[in-house]
Amino acid sequence: MKRFSALLLSSLLLSSGAQAQDSFKLCWSIYVGWMPWAYGAEQGIVQKWADKYDIDIEVVQINDYIESINQYTAGEFDACTMTNMDALTIPAAGGVDSTALIVGDFSNGNDGIVLKGKEQLADIKGQNVNLVELSVSHYLLARALESVGLKEADVQVVNTSDADLVAAYSTDDVTSVATWNPLLSEISQQPNSTVVFDSAQIPGEIIDLLVVNSDTLAAHPELGKALTGAWYEIMATMSAEDEAGAAARNYMAEASGTDLAGYQAQLDSTQMFYTPAAALELTNSAQLKQTMQYVAEFSFDHGLLGEGAPDAGFIGVQMPAGDYGDSSNLKLRFDPTYMQMAADNQL
């Protein structure tokens, strides 16, 4: 009887320990605004905040951006870096209720269109445009074409993995690409190449997020606290004009395949939200609601909201300024709770 009681107690203790030390996985891909996760993982900052809340967080780099989101959507990761549009059209459209936990930045020139041998956007008419189809690059192309009175029917989109874009552009057959940094910087530096349109012309529309599964976040608020706390500690370090800040930025530069000058150039074309207050300003704004309407309309026009979607508002998006779309089908949530906790020093 004593032996049974001891075994039962041991089992209960193991069970309690397993519950107290829950494990979570975050995936990210190379982009200027997401390199901080690489630094935070390598420097033990993520681990420090995970330990504070008695959880484990594994940070995993995935080389193919879309594949990272697909794996998150399939449930292989609890959190993933992605843009606002891709959050809507992949996990949300796939029925996975997701929360934008951290609004990290918006592209302010980090996404662009490059032409080879031409210097004006209007010259893109009739060309093949290599890009990651149905991504923010495709959205950028559509917005760019609108600005010069063209339509997508005036070009031919060629779906190309981001892992293959640089190599493709180096061939004679490829004369136009739409992509993001660091690929954009590398491609635009090739001979006879010109950036003819970039995201600085549509500020605040391509937003970079850390997205977390809403059910997981609701069940484990400690995950939201740990990730948000780690993020803003990283932000404070990398934004500092001191040796530690320079070292952090240099690490991120090398990890993304460039040097400090190259990475700084990418930061210069990114509106980073180094403080939670700055992130909250956009998150709480009416502009975010308008942006998500633009994105939803583009996504619906391209069949990205699912075959059964009757209109652009089929998927509900919850925002502090008000819901867009069907409030009974909320699948994407911009929740300022944890960023506000960070702003109030409550993490």
Side-chain angles (χ1 to χ4, degrees), residues 139-317:
Y139 175 80
L140 181 78
L141 174 65
R143 297 285 277 133
L145 292 171
E146 288 175 12
S147 74
V148 289
L150 297 176
K151 300 178 180 179
E152 282 192 57
D154 293 315
V155 299
Q156 178 63 50
V157 169
V158 179
N159 187 29
T160 309
S161 167
D162 54 314
D164 300 326
L165 271 171
V166 175
Y169 188 76
S170 66
T171 66
D172 292 338
D173 292 339
V174 178
T175 59
S176 176
V177 300
T179 189
W180 54 82
N181 274 323
L183 306 179
L184 177 64
S185 177
E186 187 173 352
I187 289 170
S188 65
Q189 290 173 15
Q190 294 196 27
N192 208 23
S193 301
T194 303
V195 177
V196 294
F197 189 91
D198 67 35
S199 52
Q201 292 161 264
I202 52 168
E205 292 189 30
I206 299 176
I207 308 170
D208 301 308
L209 312 169
L210 178 69
V211 169
V212 179
N213 181 284
S214 297
D215 292 339
T216 301
L217 183 61
H220 299 280
E222 67 274 18
L223 174 63
K225 293 177 182 179
L227 290 172
T228 307
W231 178 257
Y232 287 112
E233 179 174 337
I234 299 165
M235 290 295 99
T237 299
M238 73 173 288
S239 62
E241 294 300 326
D242 56 18
E243 288 186 11
R249 295 189 296 274
N250 192 65
Y251 175 89
M252 296 177 204
E254 292 182 1
S256 63
T258 187
D259 57 15
L260 184 56
Y263 187 69
Q264 187 61 53
Q266 294 174 36
L267 282 173
D268 291 343
S269 55
T270 306
Q271 184 62 54
M272 292 292 298
F273 298 133
Y274 290 116
T275 66
L280 286 163
E281 185 175 351
L282 177 63
T283 306
N284 293 330
S285 71
Q287 179 193 355
L288 178 62
K289 186 174 180 180
Q290 179 64 68
T291 292
M292 290 312 300
Q293 180 176 339
Y294 286 150
V295 168
E297 289 170 349
F298 168 87
S299 301
F300 175 70
D301 290 343
H302 290 77
L304 298 178
L305 301 184
E307 293 182 5
D311 53 46
F314 174 63
I315 297 172
V317 182

